[in-house]
Amino acid sequence: MIRGYIEELEEEMKDSLVGNKREFIKRIKVSAKNLSDLVYDILEVARLEQGRLDFTPQKISPPKVIFEIIQGLKIKTEQKNLDLVFENAKEDVDYIKINPNRFYQILTNLLENAIKYTPAGKISVKTRKDKNKKEYIIEIEDSGLGISAIDQKRLFEKFYRVKTKATAEIPGTGLGLWLTKQMVEGSGGKIFVESIEGKGTKFILSFPLIKL
Ligand code: ADP
């Protein structure tokens, strides 16, 4: 609501906005977005903790959904001049059993983080089976800020945010990765992180494959 009106106002006044007024409008927009992200995350945490999030599984083929999510995020990556690619190695059709909304949220959270914490370069999503062909693996890799070994240990804690010069100006709640981990594990999956500070980060998801 606030965001809709402020954008309307900005559009109507775009030729008459002078001096710091333009900056004020920009700040209102950023604050409104941060506030709505915070409310959304807190509501999701509450739903999850009260057992109100639906985990009812359905059979899905991940590449189709991943492709749609990537399409939806293209505007954000283009704005930052980032490459976002989906490398789907095998032509085989593999299925996992997961609630489609939770799957969508997990992938979106990780990809939005990758975009947020990557100032330049590339983000890739790769899918494959593990060598025993029992697990479906999804890797989300970016060439962004990276995360130190110390921070990696605490990354999935509720409200934990990495504090460095590079992250100081980036807004967030520290709830996204906690939520993501709960959703992955609630769906029978696992999540791991590998990262080198200054080089980039890879999040690895693993879900049991359905035997057909
Ligand atoms: P936030 O709302 O702060 O983004 P998250 O729980 O999603 O919260 O992430 C926790 C912290 O982990 C972030 O503050 C950020 O510093 C770090 N982080 C998450 N994803 C990435 C990534 N892809 N690259 C670098 N740092 C990341």
Side-chain angles (χ1 to χ4, degrees):
M1 179 87 152
I2 304 173
R3 292 167 73 192
Y5 277 114
I6 197 71
E7 265 163 30
E8 188 76 17
L9 211 60
E10 186 184 33
E11 183 59 32
E12 275 175 33
M13 295 169 59
K14 69 171 183 283
D15 300 322
S16 57
L17 280 176
V18 284
N20 50 12
K21 302 286 185 304
R22 202 179 292 270
E23 181 58 29
F24 290 170
I25 296 247
K26 202 174 128 198
R27 284 191 208 165
I28 296 173
K29 277 167 68 179
V30 172
S31 305
K33 174 162 190 316
N34 293 347
L35 203 59
S36 80
D37 286 351
L38 177 65
V39 172
Y40 179 83
D41 281 354
I42 289 174
L43 285 175
E44 283 297 285
V45 170
R47 280 192 200 103
L48 204 134
E49 287 180 336
Q50 290 183 10
R52 285 172 196 263
L53 271 196
D54 188 8
F55 281 93
T56 316
Q58 282 177 29
K59 182 177 148 188
I60 67 158
S61 169
K64 192 170 166 277
V65 188
I66 294 171
F67 189 74
E68 280 169 18
I69 295 172
I70 288 182
Q71 288 306 110
L73 290 170
K74 281 277 179 195
I75 303 175
K76 286 189 183 172
T77 49
E78 278 161 16
Q79 276 168 354
K80 285 188 81 173
N81 241 332
L82 298 170
D83 258 347
L84 173 58
V85 294
F86 181 25
E87 293 164 24
N88 187 15
K90 286 260 157 48
E91 294 301 312
D92 315 0
V93 185
D94 296 312
Y95 293 101
I96 60 173
K97 267 189 118 183
I98 189 166
N99 182 277
N101 294 328
R102 302 295 76 81
F103 185 72
Y104 184 90
Q105 272 181 310
I106 292 163
L107 263 293
T108 306
N109 278 351
L110 293 174
L111 277 167
E112 286 189 334
N113 271 353
I115 297 169
K116 194 158 116 180
Y117 297 104
T118 302
K122 180 177 166 180
I123 297 160
S124 69
V125 184
K126 287 183 195 149
T127 58
R128 60 180 169 86
K129 283 183 265 198
D130 77 321
K131 58 178 185 304
N132 300 322
K133 301 204 174 2
K134 290 215 163 79
E135 303 281 321
Y136 191 81
I137 316 282
I138 305 169
E139 296 180 345
I140 296 113
E141 187 168 11
D142 65 60
S143 63
L145 302 178
I147 304 161
S148 73
I150 294 168
D151 285 319
Q152 284 176 43
K153 289 206 182 91
R154 303 196 54 193
L155 208 58
F156 296 101
E157 288 176 18
K158 210 194 259 180
F159 294 113
Y160 191 77
R161 303 204 68 215
V162 175
K163 287 194 185 70
T164 62
K165 263 202 194 120
T167 60
E169 298 288 308
I170 305 175
T173 62
L175 291 170
L177 281 181
W178 182 83
L179 275 166
T180 304
K181 187 170 166 55
Q182 303 303 308
M183 289 191 280
V184 170
E185 291 177 353
S187 307
K190 284 177 254 162
I191 182 165
F192 310 96
V193 62
E194 286 173 8
S195 183
I196 299 172
E197 209 176 357
K199 286 236 181 276
T201 305
K202 191 200 275 188
F203 282 94
I204 302 142
L205 298 167
S206 134
F207 296 101
L209 269 165
I210 303 183
K211 285 180 213 78
L212 290 174

